[in-house]
Amino acid sequence: MNVYCSKGHENPPGCRFCLHCGEKLDAAIGGIQPGQTLGDRYLIVRQLGQGGFGRTYLAEDINRFRELCVLKEFSPQVQTAYVLKKAEELFQREATVLYKLQHPQIPRFRELFRSNFDGKEYLFLVQDYVEGQTYRSLLDERLKKGLRFTESEVIQLLLQILPVLEYIHSLGVIHRDISPDNLMLRKPTQTLPYQAGTQGGLNPYSGGTEEGLPVLIDFGGVKQVAAVVVSQYYQPNAGAVTPPATLLGKFGYAPPEQMQTGLVEPHSDLYALAATALVLLTGKQPSELIDDYTLAWQWRREINLSPTLGAVLDKMLSPVPQQRYQSAREVLQALNPSPAPVPNPPTTATLAVAPSSPHSPTSPTPPYGKPLARLHTLPTSPPPHPPTSPSPTWWTPEKIILVFLLLTTSAVVAVWGANTLLSSRFDDGSDGSTSQPTPTFSPTQQPLAPLAKYSPEERARKERLRDRRQRLGIDENFYLSLVNQVFWENNPSLERRSLTDEAADAQLRAQWDKTAEQLLQKLTVLSSESRQKLGTYGGGDRDRWKVEVNKLNVSSRALYDLGDAAFFQQFPEQERKNFIDQPIGQVWHAFVADKLSAILARSAFQKINFDPNTTTKTVSGNLKSSAGKVFIADLRQNQLMEVNLAANPQILWSIYSPTGKYLFLEDSKKRSWSGELPESGFYEFVVVSRTSQPLSYQLTLNVENPTPTPSPTPTDTPTPDETPPPTPTDTPTPDETPPPTPEPTSTP
């Protein structure tokens, strides 16, 4: 059974150190494995992490349409009736608190449940799964490029997370453990980089509610419950005596009094948030910013900030609790005393403009689907007004008489005008019916239709594109972002400038429309279901796909091979590029989703069964345009195997071992392989076509003493999906097979 380190990396059985990060695995052996189901409801997808009191798992809720969720385990080392009973009582109390937290930037609590697995009792807290990256991960990515978070980005983070703290504090809840590890940037669930503007174009100002917002995770209350249980186990005779406060929090982030006494207040969270902000700004750990002798923060030797933000952070980090801000509202008021007005979006943009150059050192490329927000400059506090004495009243008797005369004259004129208007209405008919005159407006005052400024030919062209997109069921926002990406790649000299509605840009608009037409044609080969999901695919989908194919003893690597063949047939220019987090990456996901359906339907999957007393098996067939098929065979270690493929050179094939540890052939044009098998299990043979023409193939296996398989149907026991670690630029979850594109030669 595979083992995992505390970061969730998957390793083959018997490993003493993690092959990904080097962590010692003695303490990490065990745990609930992917593919197992708890309580007939939660299907474990993978392990997310491991702490002092248990592990955290990503799971599918079978009873809720296979929604992804997070299971937080409490598995005490001491398994006694007292410990389990006390833990359940305290966890129930904590669950009641978590259930009250209903906020879009806090993972929703689902339930508390107890489960017996392999003779061991487990308690689980179940919460919604948040797809995204922690700010620790985002910072690490930037540090590799020599970048850090900018002041404007940190101000934006503070303005977005402080209302969340104000909310939980109003309910009497203290987080206790704020740090870059416990703040996540939610990945957009839908591709909404810009709002739709004029026909065929975009508006660079986008709105959004929950997408791209920071999320507060991993409340310390759960850890506190676990710590209290352990402390009370070792003091079972304490009776009703209140146990000492539990010391929780990370050194440098938690204020000194929290680390010393365990007592927390709302300002404790504000201290930790300020420490988090300085870590993001400087790229340094708190221990590198705190003086060893005075314990004072020395961040100014690392970075220069605006006076307002610097003063706010200093007050949040005051060593004296009474001198800090006492509420999140006070910090918000200090940061943003007079919000700047929101700029009006332009109305003439045809092609979206990126917020900044992708190579700008101060604005790293944001995650796909959500550009970095435009931030206003931090306002400074206005100078106080000097006290003034009351001024004498303006109303004198003479002025009162004058105002009365003016009002009387105005009333007389109004009555006369009304009579004149009424009489004119009846001049055209004796029966008293009104004759409505036709109003006239200046053409410049009348709103123009989105396509009114275009020529009849261009209007017709854009309408055809719109109608075809709608027939294909493709989301407009995703469609616009995809066309923009490909158009910019084809026209790098434009440097992502706007296209206007003027005649000077007519030729470029025609190129944009041609790009859109070509893309829509390529998307027609996808199933309608996959097209409708474009813009919503993410790591959660890849996790689900992995579980599905593992049930057939197929790896996600083989699944991706089939998806690659179809995707690169349509988009050969994307080979060797890192596209997974770009709009075009959504198209790759759609192709893989269709190949998954083909595997599950058995049209792209077959198990090779050897007849009794035979050593040779041949399978053959035809591959349609850019199609593929996965074959598996249950073989044993030390068997001798010879395999041959008779096929056109445009058919490539791969051979994978059961755990993925051994790679015999990959996308190869060689036509034979032979050797001794290094391990037992299901070997995979993947054949794919890289041409638009249908081609035939014949695959022959010759195996010494093969193990006969009595049933032609695949077993339901999944083979571990052992796949290589992801490339540094892909950032999928650690145990996930990365998308098959290698790391690019240059950072985009």
Side-chain angles (χ1 to χ4, degrees):
M1 183 175 292
N2 290 354
V3 293
Y4 298 82
C5 71
S6 63
K7 299 180 178 61
H9 298 152
E10 187 177 12
N11 297 274
C15 285
R16 296 184 58 191
F17 297 90
C18 178
L19 300 178
H20 303 262
C21 65
E23 178 185 331
K24 190 175 181 180
L25 295 176
D26 292 348
I29 296 175
I32 302 169
Q33 298 301 309
Q36 295 173 331
T37 303
L38 301 180
D40 296 326
R41 177 168 183 176
Y42 297 107
L43 175 65
I44 301 299
V45 176
R46 58 183 170 85
Q47 182 176 317
L48 294 175
Q50 180 172 322
F53 300 103
R55 297 174 175 85
T56 303
Y57 299 94
L58 178 66
E60 287 184 349
D61 189 341
I62 299 174
N63 292 352
R64 297 187 62 171
F65 305 100
R66 292 189 174 271
E67 288 180 352
L68 288 176
C69 58
V70 173
L71 272 61
K72 292 188 176 182
E73 156 196 308
F74 172 64
S75 177
Q77 298 298 318
V78 182
Q79 289 277 318
T80 69
Y82 171 82
V83 168
L84 294 173
K85 180 176 181 297
K86 181 58 65 176
E88 191 163 12
E89 291 175 0
L90 294 175
F91 266 100
Q92 187 66 51
R93 186 187 311 165
E94 181 67 17
T96 303
V97 175
L98 293 176
Y99 185 76
K100 293 192 301 183
L101 301 180
Q102 301 290 328
H103 193 283
Q105 289 170 256
I106 298 174
R108 182 168 52 92
F109 170 74
R110 293 192 177 194
E111 71 164 325
L112 172 72
F113 84 98
R114 184 173 178 174
S115 177
N116 185 295
F117 190 81
D118 285 344
K120 189 175 182 180
E121 291 288 341
Y122 292 86
L123 287 172
F124 293 95
L125 286 173
V126 186
Q127 292 179 304
D128 279 353
Y129 171 63
V130 178
E131 184 178 358
Q133 286 182 273
T134 65
Y135 276 79
R136 165 61 58 194
S137 174
L138 293 170
L139 177 62
D140 289 343
E141 289 180 1
R142 296 193 181 192
L143 290 176
K144 291 177 182 177
K145 303 175 184 178
L147 303 171
R148 300 169 297 190
F149 279 78
T150 65
E151 178 174 343
S152 59
E153 288 177 301
V154 169
I155 293 171
Q156 180 81 337
L157 170 62
L158 294 174
L159 294 176
Q160 290 175 336
I161 208 66
L162 281 166
V164 185
L165 293 182
E166 184 180 23
Y167 167 74
I168 68 171
H169 293 165
S170 69
L171 298 176
V173 178
I174 310 297
H175 187 279
R176 297 182 178 90
D177 198 15
I178 293 176
S179 69
D181 295 298
N182 291 334
L183 284 173
M184 289 189 68
L185 180 64
R186 187 195 301 272
K187 185 176 182 180
T189 57
Q190 207 172 27
T191 306
L192 295 174
Y194 306 101
Q195 290 178 337
T198 56
Q199 192 65 229
L202 301 176
N203 185 331
Y205 290 83
S206 63
T209 53
E210 303 174 23
E211 296 184 347
L213 290 178
V215 179
L216 194 57
I217 64 171
D218 205 8
F219 278 70
V222 177
K223 300 174 186 175
Q224 185 183 37
V225 167
V228 168
V229 170
V230 173
S231 65
Q232 291 188 359
Y233 169 76
Y234 291 106
Q235 299 175 1
N237 299 321
V241 177
T242 302
T246 307
L247 304 183
L248 292 173
K250 295 182 178 69
F251 175 78
Y253 292 98
E257 73 277 1
Q258 179 178 338
M259 299 301 296
Q260 294 167 5
T261 67
L263 300 177
V264 292
E265 296 287 343
H267 57 69
S268 307
D269 283 347
L270 301 179
Y271 184 103
L273 181 60
T276 298
L278 287 177
V279 169
L280 297 178
L281 287 165
T282 63
K284 304 286 187 180
Q285 293 302 310
S287 58
E288 301 176 86
L289 301 174
I290 298 177
D291 187 272
D292 293 335
Y293 298 99
T294 65
L295 300 181
W297 286 81
Q298 302 291 336
W299 58 266
R300 282 180 171 81
R301 62 191 179 192
E302 301 289 343
I303 190 173
N304 293 320
L305 298 178
S306 65
T308 302
L309 180 59
V312 168
L313 294 178
D314 281 340
K315 187 169 182 177
M316 295 171 73
L317 292 168
S318 173
V320 181
Q322 292 76 14
Q323 294 179 0
R324 301 176 196 148
Y325 295 105
Q326 299 301 301
S327 70
R329 173 55 51 186
E330 292 181 14
V331 184
L332 282 169
Q333 292 173 347
L335 281 174
N336 201 13
S338 55
V342 179
N344 293 323
T347 58
T348 59
T350 299
L351 189 66
V353 184
S356 61
S357 169
H359 302 286
S360 170
T362 59
S363 299
T365 304
Y368 159 60
K370 191 71 177 181
L372 296 175
R374 300 171 180 265
L375 307 175
H376 62 269
T377 304
L378 184 68
T380 56
S381 301
H385 294 287
T388 56
S389 58
S391 58
T393 179
W394 183 83
W395 294 97
T396 62
E398 293 80 9
K399 292 177 179 178
I400 292 174
I401 295 173
L402 179 60
V403 171
F404 175 75
L405 292 175
L406 289 173
L407 291 174
T408 304
T409 304
S410 300
V412 172
V413 172
V415 172
W416 174 82
N419 291 334
T420 303
L421 179 61
L422 290 173
S423 62
S424 64
R425 286 191 171 185
F426 292 97
D427 286 345
D428 295 332
S430 58
D431 57 353
S433 61
T434 58
S435 175
Q436 300 291 345
T438 302
T440 59
F441 299 97
S442 169
T444 59
Q445 295 176 336
Q446 202 163 4
L448 297 176
L451 304 180
K453 298 184 68 174
Y454 299 146
S455 66
E457 179 185 0
E458 185 171 0
R459 285 201 300 270
R461 185 175 70 231
K462 291 185 180 298
E463 288 171 350
R464 285 196 302 270
L465 289 173
R466 177 198 60 201
D467 294 342
R468 189 175 192 189
R469 175 192 63 78
Q470 291 175 345
R471 287 195 302 271
L472 292 175
I474 299 173
D475 177 77
E476 181 181 12
N477 291 290
F478 168 75
Y479 158 75
L480 294 172
S481 62
L482 175 65
V483 180
N484 279 346
Q485 178 193 344
V486 176
F487 179 83
W488 280 324
E489 290 177 353
N490 295 339
N491 297 274
S493 61
L494 292 178
E495 295 184 354
R496 301 196 172 197
R497 76 167 180 84
S498 294
L499 296 186
T500 68
D501 295 334
E502 304 303 324
D505 282 342
Q507 184 176 358
L508 290 176
R509 293 198 303 272
Q511 292 183 28
W512 194 96
D513 291 345
K514 183 178 180 180
T515 301
E517 183 179 11
Q518 293 170 345
L519 287 171
L520 289 176
Q521 178 61 35
K522 293 180 178 181
L523 297 181
T524 57
V525 301
L526 294 169
S527 67
S528 59
E529 181 180 359
S530 296
R531 285 197 303 264
Q532 291 171 6
K533 287 193 63 178
L534 286 169
T536 67
Y537 291 108
D541 295 286
R542 298 195 295 272
D543 286 332
R544 284 192 291 271
W545 298 340
K546 176 180 173 180
V547 171
E548 291 295 323
V549 294
N550 281 180
K551 293 176 181 177
L552 299 176
N553 298 304
V554 175
S555 69
S556 54
R557 188 202 303 264
L559 169 64
Y560 291 168
D561 282 350
L562 301 191
D564 283 351
F567 176 74
F568 291 132
Q569 174 65 31
Q570 297 292 334
F571 301 94
E573 72 281 359
Q574 295 297 327
E575 285 202 71
R576 308 191 67 80
K577 288 185 179 180
N578 178 29
F579 55 73
I580 194 65
D581 286 327
Q582 299 179 17
I584 196 70
Q586 291 286 298
V587 181
W588 177 85
H589 280 83
F591 275 105
V592 174
D594 281 347
K595 296 305 178 183
L596 172 67
S597 300
I599 289 177
L600 298 180
R602 306 302 198 273
S603 62
F605 168 77
Q606 182 178 339
K607 186 175 181 181
I608 298 177
N609 299 304
F610 285 86
D611 297 328
N613 302 320
T614 61
T615 60
T616 302
K617 182 69 175 183
T618 299
V619 292
S620 59
N622 292 287
L623 294 179
K624 297 180 180 179
S625 171
S626 63
K629 193 164 186 176
V630 180
F631 298 90
I632 64 171
D634 189 8
L635 305 174
R636 289 292 162 275
Q637 187 177 12
N638 300 327
Q639 285 185 306
L640 297 178
M641 180 180 73
E642 180 182 359
V643 56
N644 296 280
L645 177 66
N648 185 284
Q650 292 299 318
I651 289 184
L652 308 180
W653 68 319
S654 306
I655 305 176
Y656 302 130
S657 70
T659 64
K661 184 178 180 180
Y662 301 95
L663 176 62
F664 305 110
L665 294 176
E666 185 174 30
D667 290 337
S668 176
K669 292 186 178 181
K670 291 178 61 176
R671 287 300 176 253
S672 64
W673 182 91
S674 62
E676 183 176 338
L677 300 181
E679 55 188 3
S680 299
F682 284 93
Y683 284 76
E684 296 175 291
F685 308 87
V686 186
V687 292
V688 297
S689 171
R690 297 297 294 269
T691 180
S692 58
Q693 302 297 323
L695 297 174
S696 61
Y697 66 90
Q698 179 174 291
L699 181 67
T700 303
L701 274 72
N702 192 334
V703 182
E704 178 185 339
N705 298 323
T707 303
T709 306
S711 173
T713 59
T715 177
D716 290 334
T717 303
T719 299
D721 195 355
E722 181 87 10
T723 52
T727 56
T729 57
D730 284 347
T731 66
T733 48
D735 65 341
E736 171 195 17
T737 303
T741 55
E743 182 180 0
T745 55
S746 61
T747 303

